[in-house]
Amino acid sequence: MNNFKSSYIVIALGVVFAFVIFVLFVSEHIYLYYETGFFNTAIAIGCTAMISMFISIILSNKKNFASLKKAYLNGGNLALIGSVGMQLSAFITSLYLNYSSILFYIGMAILTFFFTLLLGGIICFIYTFLKSQKSL
Protein backbone atom coordinates (compact mmCIF):
# COMPACT_ATOMS: atom_id res chain seq x y z
CA MET A 1 0.00 0.00 0.00
CA ASN A 2 1.08 3.52 -0.63
CA ASN A 3 2.20 5.48 2.42
CA PHE A 4 -0.33 8.26 2.05
CA LYS A 5 -3.15 6.10 0.76
CA SER A 6 -3.21 3.77 3.77
CA SER A 7 -2.79 6.69 6.18
CA TYR A 8 -5.71 8.55 4.65
CA ILE A 9 -7.88 5.44 4.77
CA VAL A 10 -7.12 4.92 8.47
CA ILE A 11 -7.77 8.59 9.28
CA ALA A 12 -11.07 8.54 7.35
CA LEU A 13 -12.18 5.38 9.16
CA GLY A 14 -11.24 7.01 12.47
CA VAL A 15 -13.39 10.04 11.73
CA VAL A 16 -16.33 7.85 10.70
CA PHE A 17 -16.08 5.65 13.81
CA ALA A 18 -15.73 8.71 16.06
CA PHE A 19 -18.86 10.25 14.53
CA VAL A 20 -20.80 7.00 14.99
CA ILE A 21 -19.76 6.74 18.65
CA PHE A 22 -20.69 10.37 19.24
CA VAL A 23 -24.12 9.87 17.69
CA LEU A 24 -24.71 6.68 19.69
CA PHE A 25 -23.83 8.43 22.95
CA VAL A 26 -25.94 11.48 22.17
CA SER A 27 -28.96 9.37 21.24
CA GLU A 28 -28.40 7.33 24.44
CA HIS A 29 -28.14 4.00 22.66
CA ILE A 30 -24.92 3.33 24.55
CA TYR A 31 -23.75 4.68 27.88
CA LEU A 32 -20.95 4.12 30.35
CA TYR A 33 -21.12 3.42 34.08
CA TYR A 34 -18.77 5.05 36.55
CA GLU A 35 -17.14 1.91 37.96
CA THR A 36 -16.29 0.05 34.75
CA GLY A 37 -12.54 0.74 34.65
CA PHE A 38 -12.87 1.59 30.98
CA PHE A 39 -10.47 4.51 31.07
CA ASN A 40 -7.81 2.59 32.98
CA THR A 41 -8.00 -0.14 30.33
CA ALA A 42 -7.72 2.41 27.53
CA ILE A 43 -4.66 4.00 29.12
CA ALA A 44 -3.08 0.57 29.63
CA ILE A 45 -3.70 -0.39 25.97
CA GLY A 46 -2.11 2.87 24.81
CA CYS A 47 0.94 2.42 27.05
CA THR A 48 1.39 -1.20 25.96
CA ALA A 49 1.21 -0.29 22.28
CA MET A 50 3.67 2.56 22.66
CA ILE A 51 6.16 0.48 24.64
CA SER A 52 5.93 -2.42 22.19
CA MET A 53 6.63 -0.11 19.24
CA PHE A 54 9.69 1.29 21.00
CA ILE A 55 10.93 -2.20 21.89
CA SER A 56 10.53 -3.36 18.29
CA ILE A 57 12.59 -0.41 17.08
CA ILE A 58 15.28 -0.92 19.71
CA LEU A 59 15.60 -4.68 19.15
CA SER A 60 15.78 -4.50 15.37
CA ASN A 61 19.05 -5.48 13.78
CA LYS A 62 20.79 -3.78 10.87
CA LYS A 63 19.41 -6.33 8.41
CA ASN A 64 15.81 -5.39 9.22
CA PHE A 65 16.40 -1.66 9.66
CA ALA A 66 15.39 -0.67 6.11
CA SER A 67 12.18 -2.70 6.35
CA LEU A 68 11.44 -1.32 9.78
CA LYS A 69 11.99 2.26 8.63
CA LYS A 70 9.64 1.78 5.69
CA ALA A 71 7.02 0.15 7.93
CA TYR A 72 7.29 2.91 10.51
CA LEU A 73 6.75 5.59 7.87
CA ASN A 74 3.71 3.72 6.55
CA GLY A 75 1.83 2.90 9.74
CA GLY A 76 4.08 3.12 12.76
CA ASN A 77 3.73 6.87 13.07
CA LEU A 78 -0.06 6.51 13.08
CA ALA A 79 0.18 3.86 15.77
CA LEU A 80 2.35 6.03 18.00
CA ILE A 81 0.14 9.09 17.49
CA GLY A 82 -2.88 6.91 18.23
CA SER A 83 -1.37 5.46 21.42
CA VAL A 84 -0.32 8.84 22.83
CA GLY A 85 -3.61 10.45 21.84
CA MET A 86 -5.55 7.55 23.31
CA GLN A 87 -3.76 7.88 26.64
CA LEU A 88 -4.29 11.64 26.81
CA SER A 89 -7.92 11.57 25.71
CA ALA A 90 -8.76 8.70 28.08
CA PHE A 91 -7.19 10.55 30.99
CA ILE A 92 -8.86 13.87 30.20
CA THR A 93 -12.24 12.26 29.52
CA SER A 94 -12.09 10.33 32.80
CA LEU A 95 -11.88 13.63 34.68
CA TYR A 96 -15.43 14.62 33.68
CA LEU A 97 -17.80 14.15 36.59
CA ASN A 98 -20.94 14.07 34.47
CA TYR A 99 -20.99 11.08 32.11
CA SER A 100 -24.04 12.46 30.33
CA SER A 101 -22.56 15.78 29.23
CA ILE A 102 -21.73 16.77 25.68
CA LEU A 103 -18.05 17.20 26.61
CA PHE A 104 -17.93 13.59 27.75
CA TYR A 105 -19.45 12.47 24.43
CA ILE A 106 -16.88 14.49 22.50
CA GLY A 107 -14.13 12.96 24.63
CA MET A 108 -15.39 9.45 23.86
CA ALA A 109 -15.47 10.28 20.14
CA ILE A 110 -11.88 11.55 20.29
CA LEU A 111 -10.87 8.42 22.20
CA THR A 112 -12.47 6.28 19.49
CA PHE A 113 -10.64 8.23 16.79
CA PHE A 114 -7.26 7.66 18.41
CA PHE A 115 -8.03 3.99 19.06
CA THR A 116 -8.80 3.57 15.36
CA LEU A 117 -5.52 5.29 14.51
CA LEU A 118 -3.73 2.91 16.85
CA LEU A 119 -5.25 -0.25 15.39
CA GLY A 120 -4.99 0.90 11.79
CA GLY A 121 -1.40 2.01 12.29
CA ILE A 122 -0.44 -1.36 13.78
CA ILE A 123 -2.07 -3.22 10.90
CA CYS A 124 -0.33 -1.04 8.29
CA PHE A 125 2.97 -1.35 10.17
CA ILE A 126 2.85 -5.15 10.25
CA TYR A 127 1.63 -5.43 6.66
CA THR A 128 4.39 -3.18 5.31
CA PHE A 129 7.09 -4.81 7.43
CA LEU A 130 6.18 -8.32 6.30
CA LYS A 131 5.81 -7.23 2.67
CA SER A 132 9.22 -5.56 2.66
CA GLN A 133 10.79 -8.60 4.35
CA LYS A 134 9.60 -10.83 1.50
CA SER A 135 11.09 -8.47 -1.09
CA LEU A 136 14.57 -8.61 0.50
Side-chain angles (χ1 to χ4, degrees):
M1 294 176 100
N2 189 1
N3 291 347
F4 296 114
K5 182 179 177 184
S6 60
S7 298
Y8 292 148
I9 290 171
V10 169
I11 291 170
L13 284 174
V15 170
V16 168
F17 288 151
F19 180 73
V20 167
I21 290 296
F22 178 75
V23 168
L24 288 174
F25 268 108
V26 167
S27 65
E28 296 180 356
H29 283 93
I30 59 174
Y31 48 90
L32 194 66
Y33 290 113
Y34 290 103
E35 295 89 16
T36 58
F38 175 78
F39 297 112
N40 294 334
T41 306
I43 292 170
I45 289 171
C47 288
T48 304
M50 185 174 60
I51 290 170
S52 65
M53 289 290 289
F54 286 142
I55 288 173
S56 70
I57 291 170
I58 290 171
L59 294 179
S60 67
N61 54 14
K62 290 184 180 182
K63 177 184 165 190
N64 293 336
F65 188 72
S67 301
L68 190 65
K69 181 179 177 183
K70 184 177 179 182
Y72 179 77
L73 291 175
N74 188 21
N77 54 0
L78 285 178
L80 285 178
I81 290 169
S83 66
V84 171
M86 187 173 164
Q87 293 170 34
L88 290 174
S89 62
F91 177 71
I92 292 170
T93 306
S94 69
L95 297 177
Y96 294 129
L97 298 176
N98 187 6
Y99 278 19
S100 61
S101 69
I102 195 72
L103 291 176
F104 176 77
Y105 301 152
I106 292 171
M108 290 301 293
I110 292 171
L111 180 64
T112 304
F113 173 73
F114 283 122
F115 184 64
T116 307
L117 280 186
L118 173 67
L119 290 180
I122 289 172
I123 290 169
C124 291
F125 178 81
I126 292 172
Y127 175 77
T128 307
F129 183 73
L130 293 176
K131 185 178 175 184
S132 61
Q133 285 292 319
K134 289 180 184 178
S135 67
L136 289 178

